[in-house]
Amino acid sequence: MSSPATLPPALLDSLRRAGRVVVLTGAGISAESGVPTFRQAQTGLWAQYDPQELATPAAFRRQPQLVWDWYAWRRELVAGVAPNPGHFALASMEAYVPTFTLITQNVDSLHQRAGSRHVIELHGNIARVKCSREERVVETWPATEERPPRCPDCGAFLRPDVVWFGEALPAAVLHAASEAARLADIFLTIGTSGLVQPAASLPRLAAGNGAVTVEINIEDTPLSPRMDYTLRGPSGVILPMLVERAWPD
């Protein structure tokens, strides 16, 4: 285990020499921006609800307005925060690496807002809306008082473009993430619990194909014993230091 002040020289050298760097981020990096975690979002009027009972296809079929309103409230929370130094450091890292892929479990667009370009969103994006029947992203729809609004093409309810409990990840998204992990020279796991599948399998896939693996987290996770390097502390502190020391001006 290493602290930010003692970043291993071998890791810095590996970063400088890497042709393919892959990063997996979870809720921890967004929490440093003030985005509440999934369960922390159960406050005020929403405290009475179990999030796993709201974020399911069955809940949407049963109470579509309730689910729509919960996600509208969460979108407002996300809109009120900004990327933190960890997000900006990853956007900077992308400029130094020949092939850089950022895989995120987060749905808040903070990586894109920080400037990251090659982002794979495993669980979708809370800002997008799609047709609940055709699975097609919908940009605009007629203004009505109805919640949820209706798809302008088929009339089905619109829903958040996120992956709910009980739903599989889009096959193309999972394939792209798995291929990136398989080909990685270095794989960084940042702010993720290591518990949610299939994301938790990606670091293992990378390691099994020879990648140097790095975990950045404030605490140990089930992935920690398998990592080549574990850096303990906030990603907003460690990542800027990692970029600065690997690629000094």
Side-chain angles (χ1 to χ4, degrees), residues 38-39 50-58 70-71 162-168 196:
F38 200 63
R39 291 201 171 275
D50 181 343
Q52 295 194 38
E53 293 179 356
L54 290 173
T56 68
W70 184 53
Y71 275 92
V162 297
V163 178
W164 282 334
F165 291 105
E167 293 183 323
V196 178

Side-chain angles (χ1 to χ4, degrees), residues 105-200:
Q105 296 170 268
N106 302 329
V107 297
D108 50 38
S109 299
L110 289 177
H111 287 300
Q112 292 93 326
R113 287 165 59 187
S116 291
R117 294 176 297 130
H118 298 99
V119 181
I120 298 174
E121 296 174 314
L122 286 180
H123 297 158
N125 191 308
I126 200 170
R128 288 196 304 264
V129 169
K130 68 179 181 179
C131 175
S132 61
R133 179 182 298 155
E134 300 174 337
E135 299 288 316
R136 180 179 54 81
V137 172
V138 176
E139 301 287 349
T140 60
W141 53 88
T144 68
E145 296 298 320
E146 189 175 17
R147 305 194 315 274
R150 300 275 183 172
C151 174
D153 291 332
C154 73
F157 282 135
L158 298 179
R159 55 160 283 184
D161 187 15
V162 297
V163 178
W164 282 334
F165 291 105
E167 293 183 323
L169 269 61
V173 171
L174 181 57
H175 176 74
S178 299
E179 278 298 288
R182 185 178 64 83
L183 297 172
D185 297 318
I186 296 185
F187 193 103
L188 289 83
T189 303
I190 303 167
T192 179
S193 67
L195 296 172
V196 178
Q197 294 290 359

Side-chain angles (χ1 to χ4, degrees), residues 48-72:
Q48 62 182 304
Y49 298 101
D50 181 343
Q52 295 194 38
E53 293 179 356
L54 290 173
T56 68
F60 188 72
R61 288 192 297 269
R62 187 169 57 248
Q63 294 182 291
Q65 181 176 319
L66 179 72
V67 173
W68 178 268
D69 288 350
W70 184 53
Y71 275 92

Side-chain angles (χ1 to χ4, degrees), residues 93-105:
M93 187 183 294
E94 186 171 354
Y96 294 107
V97 179
T99 302
F100 183 92
T101 305
L102 200 162
I103 306 166
T104 186
Q105 296 170 268

Side-chain angles (χ1 to χ4, degrees), residues 185-220:
D185 297 318
I186 296 185
F187 193 103
L188 289 83
T189 303
I190 303 167
T192 179
S193 67
L195 296 172
V196 178
Q197 294 290 359
S201 67
L202 295 174
R204 296 183 176 91
L205 175 61
N209 283 276
V212 174
T213 55
V214 185
E215 181 182 59
I216 299 174
N217 209 312
I218 59 174
E219 58 189 7
D220 287 347

